[in-house]
Each structure stands twice: as structure tokens, then as C-alpha cells.
Amino acid sequence: MSDRDGIFAGADPFVIAQEWLDAASETEPNDPNAIALSSVDHTGMPNVRMVLLKEIEVDAFVFYTNYESQKAQEIAQSGKAAFVLHWKSLARQIRVRGLVSKEDGPIADDYYKSRSLKSRIGAWASQQSRPLASRASLMAEVAKVTIQKGADPERPPFWGGFRIVPLEIEFWSDGAFRLHDRFRWSRSEVDQDWEITRLSP
């Protein structure tokens, strides 16, 4: 489109998303890669929570979690998810909706190994989303797992990544008088070309 220039310019939405995230990394005070991730349960009731986006690939967005958590179970049931990245410092946001698959191989192993030892132990110790008797019981489990797993624990079989392949990406930038700039990249199938549409504020 003729007026899709400046921060919206480019032929690849994943490159644009990475450029925006890189810019936010210079200005956002905390966790510029924090996303509000949305899923729905088996009744259609929505859920949303903050997680960290760990990778923008050439065709997908990747985050990691406990596969036994509520969000993971909901995503596995529907095969779909949505998220929004919002940066107050840039007055921009990116909305994504798409199809989800597990990242449960060497890439997940490598990311797990890159985490601090305490975070790796924590992944083993936490029964994410399930009832917890007390903070003390959690820390006791951490201590037990630390002894059991040692200094180089392997990735838990119940912990790994999810890859979101988008069917829709919207880039939004704040405009004067609430006249925001919005461009939606959309497609009905993941192997189709993108259709780019400017949206009203």
C-alpha cells in the first residue's frame, strides 16, 4: 500500500515485528518481550495471562511453558491462541492470532539449557497452575529437586515451547487525537500470501 511507510514499511511482517521488538528493547524499562497470551477453555471461556515471547522466527512466534499448565492444556485442546505485545514507551502494539504447535525438540532443549540453573530447577519443581499448599512447600520441592537433578538438569518432559504461526498480525501505532495507524496482515491458510489492509482507528 502506498502509505505503508516508516515503521510500517516492509514485505515481511516477522521482520517488522522483530524491528519493533528491537526498538522496544532500547526504551521499555522491563520485559519488552512480555505478551498478553489469550486462550479459551473447553466451554469457550477466555483466559489471558502474561508470558515472555522468546523467539520471533521466520514464520512463527515462540514461547515456553509447562505443558501441564492451564494455558497449555487450553491451547492443546483448541490448537489456537492470540496475543498482544504493547509498548507504552513506543506507543505501539502488535496483535497476533494463529495456530499453535509444540516446540518439543532440540530447539526447546537448547533454550532450556540457556536458562539459569535456578530457573531450570524451578521448571521441575513447580506444578504450574495447580493448587499449592504454601510457599514453604514449594521451596521444599525446589530443595529436593536441586539435590536430585544436580548442576545440569535435563529439560523436563512436561516443559517446552509452543510455536504460534499467525493467520493475522496487526501493527498499531498511536496517533494524535486517537487517529491511530493500523495495518492488518491476514490470510486464511498458513501457506497463503498475506493480504494487507489499513484499518480505521
Side-chain angles (χ1 to χ4, degrees):
M1 298 187 63
S2 59
D3 62 345
R4 191 171 58 82
D5 52 16
I7 61 173
F8 295 98
D12 186 330
F14 299 98
V15 172
I16 298 171
Q18 186 66 63
E19 290 172 348
W20 284 28
L21 179 56
D22 290 345
S25 297
E26 300 295 325
T27 60
E28 203 71 12
N30 292 299
D31 295 330
N33 60 329
I35 61 175
L37 177 73
S38 179
S39 58
V40 296
D41 67 17
H42 68 282
T43 70
M45 180 67 74
N47 263 320
V48 65
R49 76 289 286 164
M50 302 302 296
V51 302
L52 296 180
L53 179 69
K54 286 301 179 178
E55 191 73 32
I56 299 177
E57 298 183 336
V58 296
D59 62 352
F61 300 88
V62 181
F63 70 95
Y64 292 85
T65 190
N66 186 314
Y67 287 143
E68 297 174 356
S69 65
Q70 185 174 17
K71 62 180 169 294
Q73 292 181 43
E74 290 174 353
I75 289 171
Q77 185 271 328
S78 70
K80 301 171 185 175
F83 71 80
V84 61
L85 275 159
H86 176 245
W87 301 293
K88 288 186 176 181
S89 60
L90 297 180
R92 300 182 207 171
Q93 66 180 13
I94 301 174
R95 296 175 56 238
V96 172
R97 303 168 70 209
L99 307 178
V100 187
S101 61
K102 279 186 176 181
E103 174 47 73
D104 199 28
I107 292 175
D109 291 337
D110 289 344
Y111 171 67
Y112 180 78
K113 289 177 183 178
S114 76
R115 304 175 91 209
S116 70
L117 176 59
K118 289 184 178 180
S119 293
R120 284 180 280 160
I121 292 294
W124 276 102
S126 174
Q127 297 184 354
Q128 197 173 103
S129 300
R130 281 163 284 180
L132 178 64
S134 66
R135 180 78 181 180
S137 65
L138 174 61
M139 298 316 295
E141 184 65 20
V142 169
K144 183 175 79 173
V145 170
T146 299
I147 295 171
Q148 291 175 340
K149 298 298 179 182
D152 189 23
E154 72 276 16
R155 179 172 60 89
F158 52 81
W159 190 97
F162 279 113
R163 176 179 284 107
I164 303 175
V165 178
L167 296 177
E168 183 176 305
I169 306 175
E170 181 189 322
F171 296 92
W172 179 102
S173 181
D174 183 57
F177 310 110
R178 302 289 181 178
L179 299 178
H180 313 304
D181 288 308
R182 300 171 61 188
F183 288 93
R184 180 182 64 207
W185 299 60
S186 60
R187 56 190 180 179
S188 57
E189 302 288 343
V190 297
D191 58 352
Q192 291 183 342
D193 292 335
W194 292 102
E195 179 181 344
I196 307 171
T197 307
R198 177 184 271 276
L199 303 177
S200 296

